[in-house]
Amino acid sequence: MASMERGSEEEAAPDEEDGDEEGGWIIKPGRSEAEEVEVTPACNGKDPCADILAQRLWRGLVHQEEPERNTSGGMSDGQPDDAPSVSPSSLMDTCGPSISSLSSSHSPTHHHANLYSSSSSSSSVLSLTPPLPPSVELPAVLTDTRLTLDVYQGGAAALPLIWRSIPGQLGGLQYVRLGSEDKPGLDGALEVLHHLTELRSLAIRGHCFYDSQGDPLPGLLTTLPTSVSSLSHLVHLDLSFNQLSCLPSCLLSLPALSSLLLCHNHLSALPPDIGQLSSLTYLSLLGNKLVSLPPGVGHLKALETLDISHNLLQQLPDEIGSLEELVKLELSHNKLKQLPESMGSLLSLRELVIYSNDLRLIPHCLNKLPLLKIDVRDNPLGQPPTPPPLPPTPYQAERKIPELHLGFKQHSFCVSSAGCHVFLPGGAELLFPPGCLVTTTRLEWVEKRPERKWVWLEEHDILLSRPLELRPHGITFLKPVDVCVPYPRTKRREVVVQRFDGQSWSTLPTVLRRGSEGHSSHPGGRPARLACCAVNQFSWFMAVSRPVKDSCSVTPAGALLVSSSDPGIKLHFPPDSTVQTRAITLQVLQVPMSEVQALCGDPQASVSPLLCLSQTPSIHFLQPIKVQVPLPSGVTGHTVDMSCLHLLHGDPSAQTWTDITSQVSLYVTHLYAIFYITHFSWYWLWYTTHRCVSGVVRKVYQKLKQFKVQFLVLQRKTDPSQVMLQCLPSNKVDSRVQSLSEQYDGPQPSDLCDLLEGEQFFAGFEKGLDISTESPDCVGGRLRFEFYSSLKNLKEVYICPAQGQKGPVRGQVSFYRGEIPNNLPEEVARKRKGDDSQWLATLPLRLPALNSENNFIMEELQYPPLNLGDPESGYLTEANLLSISLQIGQDWRAIGINLGLSYQELDRIQYKYRDNLGTLVLDMLFHWARGQRNAGPGAVSRLVSAMIESGRRDLADEIEDIVSIGRRKYSESLRRVGLEAEGSSLGETQQ
């Protein structure tokens, strides 16, 4: 699941949409439906409050700037000609997604191009250190009034360099965006800011970029220099996602500041003289550590929106009632126990968001505000004060649920009326509360192999565990029993427990937690992640990850649905879009950019998240539904080429994609694309230079459903008759091999293979290898597997030489495909030819033979006595070969090829000793030497020739010298014992 930080970062920031959910609103009487949701053409369907704020801000920003006329394609049909091309509210998209890259193919708008054509001599010779990335051009981040340096990591460091190079062009800057993840670059940029005297909008935000684990990089801003107070024209300031512990004092000297965003910092208090910001109309303090507000907040007479959600507030000052212009007040996720009576004086207040507090009473003073709507969800309204808990009685203190730890072969256990906490092998837990059973009952558990015939997953679901069967099925518990299934870590997806009742799978309410400290799925490691549900009956259970599901009910009054995984994705349902109430479901599938670019062959391709929309009942809407999605990464409203932007409509049943860009009303703002639809399906926004987009998207989508896997065959070093077969997702192979390298030995993994979720395959032993196992799926020398993306699919089996075999057995294990799944996409099925006889991979295997006691003969000596098959080889000792191996180094592979070793054998040796070059070279030489036993005379000559062909004449000469010296010593020894004549004849025979 997305963290609170990501999930709430756009809840209250002004955006292209009002980010509050409609569910849980209390509509006060006395307000007509038209007044409540009135939308004028001038607002283009935006929330009235947001538009009023945005228009006021825009009038303050652009009165000295010539309007840009439809340069980015962002103007809607109803927009007047003299309106700016970018939505004014996009200037305050402070908690929205940031741009991670900027394509060099995006050209600046025409009047910006004129600027740089006239000054090409100066811009073309700029040499910045650090330089801009190759994909970023200076004209793309710098226009005559805007400078956007948060599009690449460390971009803030370029500001002082640009200032020293072209200060004249920066003097008129009005809009600047900086990232704050690079401390030295940020410090240099802060020293330049006071020179930008015309600045009107400044954003210095963290969390613009992500590390290799996918976690956002923190902003490092801790304060602002006092020179910032000289920015007298500044009206908009965004310092979100940084490390401010107090409000910089220089901000209190900014007379024109009307919008201040300090989301997700470390503020614990506000200065008493906060009221000096008399022009402030928007203030966001979301996600800080505020425990109280100073009375001076009541002096912010112009304030229209105040967001203090996700803090630690326990009470509000009475001076809050002095904010006469306040329209929206956000107080959610605090610790408020009551609201002051002075709030009855907030006559302009239209929205009060107070959900997730500790309020038990709504003050009557708010009834004086008939136009006010209040969101009061998750408050203990009407409940009496909670009394303090009673101290536990001695009996309760001593009473503890007994624990039961089961082994892999313990598949049954007893539970009495006292309850029990059962720990299953692998990390699963069962918690039986006291009183759930009347009498002692024997229960059973077993893990099943997932089979496609009965394990049904939805389109984008991933199985995280083996199905766990708990028996007997018919028993009913008097109290709910907690069933906790372990699962691996997932990113940006929700984990749920699904239950099979014998007919179909259903999703249960799921709570995620860590397992007990005393029962880790990895001994000595952290407790397992558990997906827990409460059940009254036993059946089958499994953990599944899926894209986060957000849902709401749409009534004739309309609604707003915001994605919890990506708050930049919003669905706005206008009034009268439906007659009956509908249930709406939204899922967002994040797609890796690198995979899309690799699959479609377009390095400039970029995509938005995939939207999966559904509704019940499934009929068209009566009014167009407004959909907002983030622009593809690297694309902004200033740089977008509308001819490359494609909106794709997907049909999940037919597995087709259609380009509907020309059929919908599609326009862009600075960060978002907005379009209107009347029916629900899948929608995907692509930015690509390809012309035939639909066919490419279809292929990419089907490829993304496949998994890259590899096969392993490993023998236990202490008992080579124990063999482990594995099929692993490719990204887990290296770590798995490394973890098993001390106990197991084997060839390198197979090549990459493409398998679909739930596709069957078999492992069959061949060439004199038998299987000894009781498993019912081991038939005809085969083991059956079924691949699921997050399972290791390993099976350890006992194999032995076939009956009557003598000597060590060399064989192989081959992997075959199983039957084709019924719902295999046509595109994939067409490429998959052949039946079970099609091999996925074949890996070599070697087993020792049986001795007279029917025991396995263990491995021979690692390096047997040297014998190259002819008498001359006796001159080349094992010590000589060891000395030669120390001089070979990186030439070992070329020498091995010239000695006649196969590429496959060299690869096996390289993988086996990849961390030890000396051992690797020695194993290669002795492997060749063992193969020369029956090859006849001339082995030394072949070794010398291989060295010469590999460019190692020095080693060839050394070998010849060793043999020559050995021959001379041998002749001398014969002469000493009186066998010189025989030795001479022997030498003649050799020659």
Side-chain angles (χ1 to χ4, degrees):
M1 284 188 172
S3 64
M4 185 276 286
E5 182 181 36
R6 289 284 298 165
S8 64
E9 62 184 40
E10 283 206 349
E11 277 190 10
D15 203 332
E16 279 75 10
E17 287 288 353
D18 178 8
D20 298 312
E21 299 181 16
E22 294 289 336
W25 288 106
I26 296 179
I27 309 298
K28 289 294 181 180
R31 179 177 182 176
S32 68
E33 182 179 317
E35 290 174 327
E36 179 186 338
V37 293
E38 180 182 1
V39 178
T40 64
C43 292
N44 293 323
K46 293 186 176 62
D47 178 78
C49 300
D51 276 350
I52 292 171
L53 177 62
Q55 289 168 4
R56 291 185 180 181
L57 174 61
W58 188 257
R59 284 196 294 270
L61 292 180
V62 303
H63 71 277
Q64 292 183 353
E65 180 185 358
E66 180 183 350
E68 302 173 11
R69 298 179 182 273
N70 200 21
T71 57
S72 65
M75 186 181 297
S76 65
D77 295 336
Q79 211 169 357
D81 292 340
D82 59 347
S85 62
V86 180
S87 168
S89 59
S90 68
L91 293 170
M92 295 186 295
D93 53 2
T94 58
C95 296
S98 295
I99 309 303
S100 61
S101 63
L102 190 62
S103 172
S104 61
S105 64
H106 302 153
S107 60
T109 56
H110 62 275
H111 71 284
H112 298 159
N114 293 336
L115 166 67
Y116 280 92
S117 63
S118 62
S119 59
S120 59
S121 60
S122 61
S123 61
S124 61
V125 297
L126 284 182
S127 177
L128 303 181
T129 304
L132 295 172
S135 60
V136 181
E137 295 180 356
L138 187 59
V141 298
L142 175 62
T143 68
D144 45 2
T145 61
R146 300 176 185 273
L147 178 61
T148 308
L149 291 177
D150 61 347
V151 295
Y152 71 98
Q153 194 166 344
L159 178 57
L161 303 174
I162 298 175
W163 171 256
R164 289 195 295 268
S165 302
I166 47 174
Q169 295 186 25
L170 299 190
L173 279 181
Q174 297 182 11
Y175 314 96
V176 171
R177 295 180 66 94
L178 304 173
S180 57
E181 76 289 339
D182 174 44
K183 183 63 174 174
L186 177 62
D187 292 341
L190 293 177
E191 296 176 1
V192 176
L193 282 180
H194 68 279
H195 296 293
L196 310 179
T197 55
E198 297 299 319
L199 204 59
R200 297 177 178 275
S201 175
L202 174 62
I204 308 177
R205 300 176 69 247
H207 283 205
C208 296
F209 299 92
Y210 298 84
D211 59 19
S212 57
Q213 282 74 40
D215 297 323
L217 292 175
L220 304 179
L221 181 70
T222 56
T223 186
L224 289 176
T226 56
S227 58
V228 171
S229 60
S230 63
L231 302 179
S232 58
H233 297 290
L234 194 66
V235 297
H236 170 257
L237 179 61
D238 178 6
L239 304 177
S240 303
F241 297 102
N242 280 295
Q243 301 181 24
L244 297 172
S245 57
C246 61
L247 189 71
S249 58
C250 60
L251 300 185
L252 301 177
S253 303
L254 298 176
L257 190 64
S258 66
S259 177
L260 177 59
L261 295 104
L262 301 167
C263 314
H264 297 287
N265 276 278
H266 305 308
L267 300 174
S268 57
L270 295 178
D273 50 353
I274 183 71
Q276 293 183 25
L277 297 173
S278 57
S279 301
L280 208 59
T281 61
Y282 183 93
L283 176 59
S284 177
L285 298 162
L286 179 151
N288 280 278
K289 301 177 181 179
L290 297 173
V291 295
S292 63
L293 294 180
V297 74
H299 296 293
L300 302 175
K301 300 296 184 179
L303 198 62
E304 298 176 1
T305 301
L306 176 60
D307 183 356
I308 334 172
S309 56
H310 290 276
N311 277 279
L312 306 173
L313 296 176
Q314 298 184 7
Q315 62 181 4
L316 296 177
D318 290 334
E319 288 78 4
I320 197 90
S322 302
L323 303 178
E324 301 172 354
E325 300 296 324
L326 195 63
V327 175
K328 182 176 181 179
L329 179 57
E330 274 267 9
L331 300 170
S332 61
H333 292 280
N334 277 285
K335 298 181 178 181
L336 296 172
K337 298 182 180 297
Q338 61 182 8
L339 298 177
E341 289 290 335
S342 62
M343 290 181 63
S345 304
L346 301 176
L347 301 180
S348 300
L349 194 62
R350 294 295 179 268
E351 297 180 19
L352 177 59
V353 183
I354 53 175
Y355 66 83
S356 296
N357 276 281
D358 195 22
L359 296 170
R360 301 178 184 275
L361 180 67
I362 301 297
H364 293 291
C365 64
L366 297 181
N367 292 331
K368 303 175 183 178
L369 310 175
L371 301 182
L372 176 66
K373 57 179 181 179
I374 311 176
D375 187 346
V376 296
R377 292 171 293 159
D378 196 19
N379 276 286
L381 293 176
Q383 299 181 13
T386 304
L390 297 175
T393 63
Y395 172 75
Q396 290 176 331
E398 296 174 3
R399 187 175 182 181
K400 184 179 180 181
I401 298 178
E403 293 185 355
L404 179 61
H405 296 260
L406 301 180
F408 280 99
K409 295 184 179 180
Q410 293 178 277
H411 286 276
S412 65
F413 55 93
C414 293
V415 177
S416 66
S417 58
C420 189
H421 193 171
V422 181
F423 298 91
L424 303 182
E429 298 182 16
L430 307 175
L431 181 60
F432 299 87
C436 67
L437 291 170
V438 177
T439 59
T440 301
T441 306
R442 178 166 292 277
L443 304 173
E444 298 178 347
W445 73 274
V446 64
E447 280 190 339
K448 296 285 189 178
R449 291 188 60 81
E451 297 184 8
R452 181 172 286 273
K453 295 179 180 178
W454 63 286
V455 174
W456 289 98
L457 300 174
E458 295 186 14
E459 185 69 21
H460 300 111
D461 290 355
I462 293 179
L463 185 63
L464 298 181
S465 69
R466 293 176 182 267
L468 174 65
E469 183 182 8
L470 302 175
R471 297 192 291 243
H473 293 179
I475 189 172
T476 300
F477 299 103
L478 301 179
K479 294 182 180 180
V481 174
D482 288 345
V483 176
C484 299
V485 183
Y487 67 93
R489 179 184 180 185
T490 61
K491 287 186 178 181
R492 296 189 178 186
R493 298 174 72 94
E494 67 176 338
V495 178
V496 295
V497 175
Q498 292 192 354
R499 172 180 177 171
F500 184 65
D501 59 7
Q503 300 294 329
S504 61
W505 289 91
S506 58
T507 301
L508 301 178
T510 305
V511 177
L512 305 181
R513 66 173 179 85
R514 284 282 184 177
S516 301
E517 291 290 341
H519 181 66
S520 173
S521 58
H522 303 285
R526 295 188 66 189
R529 293 180 174 86
L530 298 179
C532 303
C533 61
V535 300
N536 290 316
Q537 289 187 333
F538 274 175
S539 57
W540 292 267
F541 305 91
M542 65 182 184
V544 171
S545 78
R546 65 185 185 187
V548 178
K549 279 191 175 181
D550 297 295
S551 59
C552 72
S553 295
V554 179
T555 65
L560 175 69
L561 178 59
V562 182
S563 169
S564 59
S565 63
D566 189 341
I569 298 175
K570 302 175 182 178
L571 306 179
H572 183 224
F573 301 87
D576 301 323
S577 58
T578 179
V579 175
Q580 72 273 48
T581 301
R582 306 191 191 193
I584 304 298
T585 300
L586 164 66
Q587 285 183 293
V588 177
L589 185 66
Q590 302 290 340
V591 181
M593 202 67 56
S594 56
E595 291 190 30
V596 171
Q597 294 172 352
L599 292 173
C600 69
D602 181 3
Q604 303 297 335
S606 184
V607 299
S608 72
L610 171 59
L611 268 63
C612 301
L613 308 177
S614 60
Q615 59 166 328
T616 304
S618 182
I619 55 178
H620 284 203
F621 290 95
L622 304 179
Q623 299 288 337
I625 307 305
K626 185 178 181 180
V627 182
Q628 172 186 299
V629 297
L631 285 170
S633 179
V635 181
T636 70
H638 302 302
T639 61
V640 64
D641 181 354
M642 293 299 291
S643 64
C644 297
L645 197 63
H646 302 270
L647 180 63
L648 283 304
H649 168 268
D651 185 343
S653 58
Q655 295 284 336
T656 59
W657 290 89
T658 308
D659 190 344
I660 60 171
T661 312
S662 61
Q663 305 171 23
V664 300
S665 173
L666 173 66
Y667 65 96
V668 300
T669 65
H670 181 58
L671 294 177
Y672 300 97
I674 296 174
F675 57 92
Y676 293 85
I677 55 177
T678 56
H679 68 282
F680 275 3
S681 185
W682 294 351
Y683 295 93
W684 205 357
L685 193 65
W686 274 57
Y687 192 83
T688 176
T689 57
H690 281 182
R691 293 183 179 273
C692 302
V693 178
S694 299
V696 173
V697 172
R698 182 172 180 233
K699 292 179 181 179
V700 169
Y701 177 73
Q702 289 169 349
K703 280 282 189 180
L704 290 174
K705 293 170 61 180
Q706 294 178 325
F707 298 94
K708 302 288 185 183
V709 301
Q710 289 179 275
F711 299 99
L712 295 178
V713 180
L714 301 173
Q715 283 182 274
R716 192 182 295 274
K717 291 181 178 180
T718 56
D719 183 5
S721 63
Q722 292 287 338
V723 176
M724 179 179 286
L725 306 183
Q726 303 184 52
C727 170
L728 290 172
S730 58
N731 61 342
K732 298 183 179 180
V733 169
D734 290 340
S735 58
R736 182 64 175 166
V737 170
Q738 185 177 3
S739 65
L740 295 175
S741 60
E742 294 185 3
Q743 294 85 23
Y744 287 87
D745 191 9
Q748 72 178 77
S750 71
D751 293 334
L752 287 176
C753 304
D754 286 336
L755 289 181
L756 291 170
E757 184 91 15
E759 186 171 1
Q760 295 178 357
F761 62 92
F762 298 88
F765 295 98
E766 301 173 2
K767 295 189 177 180
L769 300 174
D770 287 345
I771 304 174
S772 298
T773 179
E774 304 273 329
S775 178
D777 55 6
C778 298
V779 180
R782 290 186 171 190
L783 288 174
R784 184 176 64 79
F785 292 77
E786 193 160 355
F787 175 74
Y788 280 86
S789 59
S790 295
L791 293 184
K792 294 176 181 176
N793 280 307
L794 61 89
K795 191 175 188 69
E796 190 169 357
V797 297
Y798 181 80
I799 64 177
C800 62
Q803 201 70 20
Q805 287 281 345
K806 294 182 179 179
V809 178
R810 296 178 183 272
Q812 64 190 29
V813 57
S814 297
F815 293 90
Y816 306 83
R817 288 189 189 276
E819 61 178 330
I820 302 177
N822 295 329
N823 58 346
L824 194 68
E826 179 184 352
E827 186 76 18
V828 179
R830 191 184 309 121
K831 295 180 180 179
R832 185 183 181 281
K833 300 177 182 178
D835 51 16
D836 287 2
S837 63
Q838 182 184 9
W839 290 3
L840 286 174
T842 298
L843 298 177
L845 201 63
R846 182 174 183 272
L847 291 179
L850 294 170
N851 60 17
S852 57
E853 285 88 24
N854 210 32
N855 295 324
F856 283 99
I857 303 173
M858 300 308 291
E859 282 283 338
E860 306 171 21
L861 294 175
Q862 188 174 10
Y863 301 115
L866 196 58
N867 178 11
L868 301 186
D870 59 341
E872 189 180 49
S873 66
Y875 304 136
L876 196 63
T877 66
E878 185 172 343
N880 299 144
L881 208 58
L882 176 59
S883 173
I884 293 169
S885 71
L886 296 177
Q887 305 174 55
I888 289 178
Q890 297 295 339
D891 296 326
W892 72 275
R893 195 175 184 91
I895 294 172
I897 293 173
N898 290 321
L899 286 173
L901 273 64
S902 67
Y903 287 98
Q904 183 180 9
E905 192 58 40
L906 292 174
D907 288 342
R908 183 196 68 79
I909 295 172
Q910 183 177 15
Y911 187 83
K912 184 176 181 180
Y913 303 108
R914 56 188 181 275
D915 297 326
N916 191 332
L917 180 62
T919 307
L920 183 151
V921 175
L922 198 59
D923 187 75
M924 182 272 294
L925 285 177
F926 277 105
H927 179 79
W928 168 80
R930 287 192 292 268
Q932 299 301 309
R933 294 175 183 176
N934 302 317
V940 172
S941 300
R942 288 191 289 272
L943 180 60
V944 171
S945 299
M947 295 297 179
I948 296 174
E949 293 172 4
S950 304
R952 296 303 301 269
R953 183 75 203 192
D954 57 324
L955 294 180
D957 293 341
E958 183 174 340
I959 295 171
E960 290 177 339
D961 291 342
I962 291 172
V963 173
S964 176
I965 293 172
R967 186 184 296 115
R968 187 177 69 248
K969 289 182 177 179
Y970 181 60
S971 300
E972 291 175 355
S973 65
L974 290 177
R975 190 182 306 113
R976 281 195 301 270
V977 296
L979 298 175
E980 183 178 3
E982 184 178 349
S984 299
S985 62
L986 178 62
E988 294 172 0
T989 303
Q990 291 177 0
Q991 296 176 1

